[in-house]
Amino acid sequence: MIPGRIVLLAVLVAFALATPCRAETHRLDDSASQVFPPNARWEWGPGSLRTGINTVHMHIRVEARIDTRAWVGRQGRVYMVLPVDAGGPIAAEWQSQGRLLGGRLVSGERALVFSGVIPGPLLEDTLRVHLATDARQMTTETQRMAFHFEIDTP
């Protein structure tokens, strides 16, 4: 009985001293991505001015090219991130061609676009993105969309 207790005690001590695994988040390089049209403009929806609806919209296409070469063959979760903008919250909704997940988010959030084993040095997809915001909260200066991508690895 005593050797069994010693083994159990050794196992418990090993668990207590083990460093816990923590997921790490890394910003991914997506500088090879392209946005079409490159100088998109906010537009009022049909009938907005008559009805008093203050929402403006923008439709863009993003040719996403996300550099994942450092994580090829490893498990990971890739997120699209839209930081908070000084001009008020922006809602984004997108559909993909299949490599990445479609989804939605509001500025200040991130949304899962890929989960699994990273298949290669680039994650590529075409995203059709619809953006919406309240025109009353927009600033007069040109707003730049600051989307980026992050990866969480175990």
Side-chain angles (χ1 to χ4, degrees):
M1 283 294 216
I2 292 179
R5 288 184 181 175
I6 292 173
V7 171
L8 178 62
L9 180 61
V11 169
L12 290 174
V13 168
F15 276 124
L17 296 176
T19 305
C21 273
R22 292 192 176 138
E24 292 186 37
T25 300
H26 302 274
R27 186 167 177 161
L28 294 169
D29 179 8
D30 65 338
S31 59
S33 296
Q34 293 182 306
V35 177
F36 299 99
N39 295 317
R41 299 196 185 279
W42 292 102
E43 298 176 359
W44 293 97
S48 327
L49 298 176
R50 280 192 322 270
T51 61
I53 296 173
N54 295 301
T55 304
V56 289
H57 304 270
M58 183 186 302
H59 295 274
I60 58 175
R61 186 179 86 236
V62 179
E63 299 291 334
R65 292 181 188 91
I66 307 165
D67 184 349
T68 54
R69 76 181 107 195
W71 293 274
V72 173
R74 293 176 52 193
Q75 193 73 23
R77 295 171 64 92
V78 177
Y79 295 88
M80 180 189 292
V81 180
L82 179 58
V84 174
D85 185 84
I90 297 172
E93 186 171 343
W94 65 94
Q95 294 83 36
S96 72
Q97 298 295 314
R99 172 63 73 163
L100 300 178
L101 300 171
R104 68 182 71 181
L105 57 78
V106 175
S107 49
E109 298 177 348
R110 67 185 199 156
L112 183 69
V113 294
F114 180 87
S115 181
V117 175
I118 305 299
L122 284 177
L123 276 178
E124 296 181 274
D125 205 341
T126 299
L127 306 175
R128 299 211 176 270
V129 183
H130 173 248
L131 302 165
T133 192
D134 186 332
R136 296 171 297 182
Q137 295 182 11
M138 294 177 69
T139 59
T140 56
E141 60 192 53
T142 304
Q143 291 185 336
R144 298 185 60 88
M145 293 298 112
F147 283 100
H148 67 269
F149 295 90
E150 296 176 344
I151 186 169
D152 285 354
T153 56

